[in-house]
Every structure is written in C-alpha cells, then in structure tokens.
Amino acid sequence: MYFLSIISVSFFLIVASEAKVLNKNANTCEEILGPLVDEIRSYEDVKDKILNYVLNGDFKRKTYDELAIFVDKFGARPSGTQVLEDSIDYMIELSRKEGLEDITTEEVVVPRWERGEEKLTMVEPRIKNMVILGLGRSVSTPPEGITAEVVVVKSFDELENTPDENIKGKIVLYDPIFTTYGETVAVRSQGASKASAKGAVASLVRSVTQFSINSPHTGSQNYADGVIKIPTAAISLEDADLIRRLYDRGEKIVLNLQMSSTYDDTKVSRNTLVDLKGSQNPEKLVIVSGHIDSWDVGQGAMDDGGGLFISWAAPVILKRLNLTPKRTLRAIFWTAEELGLIGAYAYKEAHKEELNNINFIMESDEGTFAPLGLYVSGNTRTRCIAQEVLKLFKSINASTLIEQDGAGSDIAVFTGNGIPGASLYNDNEKYFWFHHTEGDTMNVEDPDELDLGAAFWTAVSYIIADLSEDMA
C-alpha cells in the first residue's frame, strides 16, 4: 500500500462527523432513489446465495488456500522483478482454470529499486547496532558509510525552525508519534528532501506504525526537484525512542549509516484485467481491484495479497454460480503500486477515452480482516445507492458506510477525479503493526475473515453491476 488517508484516530473523528451526514442521507435516500430502493432490497436472496456459497459451500477457505499457495510460491514481488512477472503469469493461468477467458494484460514501464547491504551503528555515546530498512528509491551512501551527529525533530515545522547551521552536515531523525497513517506518512515520503534542503547528509524516520518488536517499516519516498538526494531509511520505534531519550538529555549522538542500492526506471511489467462480460451493457464497468506487487520485505500476504485474491475471487465466484451482471465486472491486478501507483496511472492514461464507462471502482488495499462496510467516494446519489446496498449486509456486520473523498490508494487516481468508488472498510486496527515489514506473512491472514471479505466483495460488486440504474 502506497498511501492511506483514513485510519485509527481519524476514523473515529470521521464517524463522529459523518454520522450526521449519513443520518441526513437516510432521511432523503428513498426520495432520491425512488423505486431503486425496492430493487436493491430484492437482491437479498442472491446476496444470501453468494454468502452461503463462500461461507458454507464449495468456496469455503478457497480464497485463503489459493492466497497461501501464491504467497508460498512467490514470496515478495517487488516492482521490476522477474518474480513479479512470474506471479502475474500465474494469476492469469489460475483465472483461466476457473473458466475466465476474457483476460488482458497491458504493459507498464515500472521502476526497479533493489536494496543492497544496509547497516546502522551508533558509535557515540556507546556502540550499538540498530536495525534499519532503506526507503524506496533511496540513494546509497559511500562504501565507508556516512558518520555524522544526529539532530532529532518531531515535525517539518520543527525542522524548518531549526537554524540551517544546526542541520548542515548532520543526520536528521524524524521522530513523530503515530496519529494516522495519512498524517504521519508525510515524514517518510518527503523527509529526505526537506532535510537535504537544510544541509543534512542523511535522514532517518521513526517507522510509521503504532507497534514494534524492533521491526522497522519500509515504504516509498520521493526526492523533490532541485535538492541533493541523500540516503534515507526507517528505524524501529525502540531505536527511535532510545535516540530521543539520549538527545533530550543533551548527549551527543553519532551514527554510522551504510546503505547500498540500485535503481532502474525502465523495466516492463503488466496490469492484468480479468473480465466477466455483462449481459446487457458490457461496455460499462464495475471494477474490483488489488495490487499484485509488494515490497521486498515480508511476503506481501497482507499488502496486498489479500486484496488481490478477494478481487480475483469475485468473477470466479460469479462464474461458478452462473451469475452474470448486466454490466461487465472487471478485476484488475495493479502492478507497481508500492513505488507510486504506477499501474493505476498507466491504466488511466491508456483508457482515458473510456473512463466515463466506469460505473463504480472498488479496491482492497488496507487489509482483508473482517469486513465492516465501505469507504465511499461519490455524489449524494452514489452514496445513497451504496448505503442501501450495505443494508443487505447487516447479518455479517458489514453495513457501515463512511464518506471519503478520493477513496483508496490506486483507485484514488480515479475517485479523486469524480469517478464513484469505494475501498474496503475492515477491522484492521493491527494492520500497521505488520505493514511494510518482514512480518507481512500468511500468519496475519485468517481463513474465516478472508471468506467474509471475498463473499462481501463479490456480492456488493455483483449487485452494483446488475442494478438497472448507474451509480452516478
């Protein structure tokens, strides 16, 4: 997952602030939608058919088992690697085995950043080895590394208010306390450039997470134009707290940072499109999606193997149940999400003349824990339709609608430009414990929760794709 905008603390603020909006809509949606409300309610039986098939029938544990085979076979799938391309071929063949023949791949030029040796040592006030993970696209240090004193700041404002002479030639450690991912991640994505502009020789960031077992979290960062590119890495909460305590006591802290990496931005990958053609309006699309690439650490089981597989499951389940919606249901497996939504931008450019055919676009890239509902982006009519659809899922506690402009990560490329869409809202309070770490493995996934996610994702997308009226 490249970025998020809603999680943890801000979620509760949204619920509190959006509840009034949803209640207001609840009083007017029947008037806005008219007979469509009854039409949506008529999908109760087909919703139950899908849920029963996945939760109790032949598809039970299928999503988990297929994800486990995939993850065990390929492991991490970084952008620009052969293992990513092999995993794409695998998903194509897996889809064909399920009788889905309308499969297209679209080439995308993607970056390849490859991590080399990384080492961080505190040399003053005592010797201590620290664990680090370089951030995406980070440049290397000289072979002997960079040895420099540390300056600790909590925010960009504190950095800006620190005189340049106190930053020049030093390593900046950003030490913000996690609030939400959307707020805190800025120090990771922009920190190196802002530190370099003040004369720093390297930057470090306290991992963007609430919890750590001495586990650093990697992620993408971007160098601004016109600044010297300096090495940048994440450190664990434990080491960040240690440095902060020493710093607050007035001790001089000196670190030696050694990092190597290579970067190439001309590799070729592919977006994968799997279509279940619509019976009446095949040109119109309801899209379900997840990204197939991952970081090089962990196995990409949670980010975003789960989202990939519930999106793969949607057309498969419908095909098995002989349920063909009026509009085409398209599953997209985005490539190269982690280094900057590369696949999504490429799709938007390749299909710019057809974007108005997207009736609704959905993405799961925030975990596939127990589904609770949807984050929805769109106008009042869109949100009313989504709200009525979600009422069908009270039995599995997945009927919550949270209004969010520009929902999703990859799909924010589309929802931020007026196309209606939604991302999965799920019980993911521990998501950032494992996000972008070696801990992103199958151990984080739960078979029953994946079944719930696949059933919910399939049923919601089917209903929206089959309704007599468009979402917007």
mmCIF file of all heavy atoms in Angstrom, residues 3 12 54 151 159 224-225 237 242 257 279 338 372 376 396 410 426-427 434:
data_model
loop_
_atom_site.group_PDB
_atom_site.id
_atom_site.type_symbol
_atom_site.label_atom_id
_atom_site.label_comp_id
_atom_site.label_asym_id
_atom_site.label_seq_id
_atom_site.Cartn_x
_atom_site.Cartn_y
_atom_site.Cartn_z
ATOM 1 N N PHE A 3 -0.224 4.646 -0.005
ATOM 2 C CA PHE A 3 -0.656 5.625 0.987
ATOM 3 C C PHE A 3 -2.082 5.333 1.403
ATOM 4 O O PHE A 3 -2.826 4.660 0.735
ATOM 5 C CB PHE A 3 -0.565 7.054 0.445
ATOM 6 C CG PHE A 3 -1.550 7.358 -0.658
ATOM 7 C CD1 PHE A 3 -2.812 7.803 -0.360
ATOM 8 C CD2 PHE A 3 -1.200 7.183 -1.982
ATOM 9 C CE1 PHE A 3 -3.721 8.082 -1.368
ATOM 10 C CE2 PHE A 3 -2.114 7.455 -2.996
ATOM 11 C CZ PHE A 3 -3.369 7.903 -2.684
ATOM 12 N N PHE A 12 -12.340 7.627 14.035
ATOM 13 C CA PHE A 12 -13.384 7.972 14.995
ATOM 14 C C PHE A 12 -13.878 9.401 14.779
ATOM 15 O O PHE A 12 -15.046 9.686 14.936
ATOM 16 C CB PHE A 12 -12.858 7.779 16.416
ATOM 17 C CG PHE A 12 -12.534 6.352 16.716
ATOM 18 C CD1 PHE A 12 -11.227 5.903 16.684
ATOM 19 C CD2 PHE A 12 -13.543 5.444 16.993
ATOM 20 C CE1 PHE A 12 -10.930 4.580 16.942
ATOM 21 C CE2 PHE A 12 -13.256 4.120 17.255
ATOM 22 C CZ PHE A 12 -11.942 3.686 17.222
ATOM 23 N N VAL A 54 -19.802 -19.100 -0.239
ATOM 24 C CA VAL A 54 -18.430 -18.828 0.196
ATOM 25 C C VAL A 54 -18.219 -19.225 1.658
ATOM 26 O O VAL A 54 -17.185 -19.793 2.016
ATOM 27 C CB VAL A 54 -18.088 -17.335 0.000
ATOM 28 C CG1 VAL A 54 -16.672 -17.040 0.495
ATOM 29 C CG2 VAL A 54 -18.222 -16.950 -1.475
ATOM 30 N N VAL A 151 20.485 15.034 14.639
ATOM 31 C CA VAL A 151 19.543 16.046 15.121
ATOM 32 C C VAL A 151 18.156 15.406 15.079
ATOM 33 O O VAL A 151 17.758 14.838 14.057
ATOM 34 C CB VAL A 151 19.569 17.314 14.245
ATOM 35 C CG1 VAL A 151 18.479 18.290 14.701
ATOM 36 C CG2 VAL A 151 20.931 17.971 14.292
ATOM 37 N N LEU A 159 11.775 21.167 12.077
ATOM 38 C CA LEU A 159 12.950 21.193 11.200
ATOM 39 C C LEU A 159 13.142 22.580 10.607
ATOM 40 O O LEU A 159 14.254 23.129 10.606
ATOM 41 C CB LEU A 159 12.781 20.164 10.075
ATOM 42 C CG LEU A 159 13.891 20.148 9.022
ATOM 43 C CD1 LEU A 159 15.167 19.543 9.590
ATOM 44 C CD2 LEU A 159 13.451 19.387 7.765
ATOM 45 N N ALA A 224 12.428 15.538 -4.069
ATOM 46 C CA ALA A 224 11.945 16.738 -4.753
ATOM 47 C C ALA A 224 12.985 17.201 -5.760
ATOM 48 O O ALA A 224 14.178 16.893 -5.663
ATOM 49 C CB ALA A 224 11.665 17.836 -3.736
ATOM 50 N N ASP A 225 12.525 17.936 -6.741
ATOM 51 C CA ASP A 225 13.443 18.511 -7.724
ATOM 52 C C ASP A 225 14.313 19.571 -7.061
ATOM 53 O O ASP A 225 13.870 20.294 -6.161
ATOM 54 C CB ASP A 225 12.659 19.148 -8.873
ATOM 55 C CG ASP A 225 11.875 18.131 -9.679
ATOM 56 O OD1 ASP A 225 12.293 16.951 -9.692
ATOM 57 O OD2 ASP A 225 10.855 18.506 -10.285
ATOM 58 N N LEU A 237 10.792 1.643 16.332
ATOM 59 C CA LEU A 237 10.328 2.522 17.405
ATOM 60 C C LEU A 237 11.280 2.472 18.596
ATOM 61 O O LEU A 237 11.549 3.502 19.234
ATOM 62 C CB LEU A 237 8.926 2.119 17.869
ATOM 63 C CG LEU A 237 7.798 2.063 16.841
ATOM 64 C CD1 LEU A 237 6.451 1.972 17.559
ATOM 65 C CD2 LEU A 237 7.812 3.238 15.891
ATOM 66 N N LEU A 242 15.142 5.322 21.921
ATOM 67 C CA LEU A 242 16.452 5.386 22.567
ATOM 68 C C LEU A 242 17.190 6.657 22.170
ATOM 69 O O LEU A 242 17.708 7.396 23.021
ATOM 70 C CB LEU A 242 17.286 4.161 22.189
ATOM 71 C CG LEU A 242 18.772 4.206 22.559
ATOM 72 C CD1 LEU A 242 18.969 4.322 24.070
ATOM 73 C CD2 LEU A 242 19.501 2.974 22.001
ATOM 74 N N LEU A 257 26.007 5.300 9.065
ATOM 75 C CA LEU A 257 24.977 4.736 8.199
ATOM 76 C C LEU A 257 25.624 4.214 6.919
ATOM 77 O O LEU A 257 26.317 4.965 6.225
ATOM 78 C CB LEU A 257 23.934 5.804 7.854
ATOM 79 C CG LEU A 257 22.844 5.433 6.836
ATOM 80 C CD1 LEU A 257 21.933 4.344 7.408
ATOM 81 C CD2 LEU A 257 22.029 6.671 6.453
ATOM 82 N N SER A 279 -24.210 -8.795 -19.384
ATOM 83 C CA SER A 279 -25.216 -9.356 -20.280
ATOM 84 C C SER A 279 -25.948 -8.296 -21.096
ATOM 85 O O SER A 279 -26.442 -8.588 -22.194
ATOM 86 C CB SER A 279 -26.235 -10.160 -19.472
ATOM 87 O OG SER A 279 -26.881 -9.323 -18.517
ATOM 88 N N GLU A 338 3.461 0.012 -5.114
ATOM 89 C CA GLU A 338 4.246 0.448 -3.961
ATOM 90 C C GLU A 338 5.202 1.596 -4.270
ATOM 91 O O GLU A 338 5.521 2.393 -3.396
ATOM 92 C CB GLU A 338 5.023 -0.729 -3.365
ATOM 93 C CG GLU A 338 4.156 -1.819 -2.743
ATOM 94 C CD GLU A 338 3.388 -1.361 -1.509
ATOM 95 O OE1 GLU A 338 3.429 -0.172 -1.155
ATOM 96 O OE2 GLU A 338 2.732 -2.227 -0.889
ATOM 97 N N LEU A 372 -16.310 -4.594 7.446
ATOM 98 C CA LEU A 372 -17.261 -3.801 8.227
ATOM 99 C C LEU A 372 -18.141 -2.922 7.347
ATOM 100 O O LEU A 372 -19.135 -2.375 7.813
ATOM 101 C CB LEU A 372 -16.519 -2.930 9.246
ATOM 102 C CG LEU A 372 -15.679 -3.674 10.287
ATOM 103 C CD1 LEU A 372 -14.893 -2.678 11.142
ATOM 104 C CD2 LEU A 372 -16.546 -4.566 11.165
ATOM 105 N N VAL A 376 -16.725 5.244 0.891
ATOM 106 C CA VAL A 376 -17.352 5.544 -0.399
ATOM 107 C C VAL A 376 -17.063 6.966 -0.826
ATOM 108 O O VAL A 376 -17.179 7.915 -0.033
ATOM 109 C CB VAL A 376 -18.877 5.310 -0.336
ATOM 110 C CG1 VAL A 376 -19.533 5.674 -1.660
ATOM 111 C CG2 VAL A 376 -19.179 3.849 0.012
ATOM 112 N N ILE A 396 -23.779 -9.841 8.606
ATOM 113 C CA ILE A 396 -22.348 -10.119 8.811
ATOM 114 C C ILE A 396 -21.619 -8.881 9.352
ATOM 115 O O ILE A 396 -20.399 -8.801 9.288
ATOM 116 C CB ILE A 396 -21.664 -10.627 7.526
ATOM 117 C CG1 ILE A 396 -21.746 -9.586 6.392
ATOM 118 C CG2 ILE A 396 -22.254 -11.968 7.097
ATOM 119 C CD1 ILE A 396 -20.860 -9.920 5.209
ATOM 120 N N ASP A 410 -4.600 3.015 -5.148
ATOM 121 C CA ASP A 410 -4.619 3.011 -6.613
ATOM 122 C C ASP A 410 -5.849 3.715 -7.162
ATOM 123 O O ASP A 410 -5.753 4.513 -8.105
ATOM 124 C CB ASP A 410 -4.597 1.563 -7.139
ATOM 125 C CG ASP A 410 -3.195 0.978 -7.168
ATOM 126 O OD1 ASP A 410 -2.326 1.548 -7.850
ATOM 127 O OD2 ASP A 410 -2.966 -0.047 -6.504
ATOM 128 N N ASN A 426 -12.479 -2.421 6.875
ATOM 129 C CA ASN A 426 -12.426 -3.697 7.595
ATOM 130 C C ASN A 426 -11.798 -3.499 8.965
ATOM 131 O O ASN A 426 -11.244 -2.442 9.277
ATOM 132 C CB ASN A 426 -11.692 -4.754 6.766
ATOM 133 C CG ASN A 426 -10.228 -4.421 6.520
ATOM 134 O OD1 ASN A 426 -9.326 -5.110 6.999
ATOM 135 N ND2 ASN A 426 -9.952 -3.362 5.760
ATOM 136 N N ASP A 427 -11.874 -4.519 9.781
ATOM 137 C CA ASP A 427 -11.433 -4.445 11.173
ATOM 138 C C ASP A 427 -9.911 -4.567 11.229
ATOM 139 O O ASP A 427 -9.359 -5.577 11.667
ATOM 140 C CB ASP A 427 -12.105 -5.558 11.966
ATOM 141 C CG ASP A 427 -11.862 -5.439 13.470
ATOM 142 O OD1 ASP A 427 -11.389 -4.367 13.911
ATOM 143 O OD2 ASP A 427 -12.134 -6.403 14.195
ATOM 144 N N PHE A 434 2.131 -4.704 10.949
ATOM 145 C CA PHE A 434 2.841 -5.593 10.028
ATOM 146 C C PHE A 434 3.167 -4.944 8.685
ATOM 147 O O PHE A 434 3.963 -5.491 7.912
ATOM 148 C CB PHE A 434 1.985 -6.840 9.773
ATOM 149 C CG PHE A 434 1.507 -7.501 11.025
ATOM 150 C CD1 PHE A 434 0.209 -7.316 11.487
ATOM 151 C CD2 PHE A 434 2.349 -8.310 11.768
ATOM 152 C CE1 PHE A 434 -0.239 -7.919 12.653
ATOM 153 C CE2 PHE A 434 1.916 -8.921 12.935
ATOM 154 C CZ PHE A 434 0.627 -8.728 13.378
#
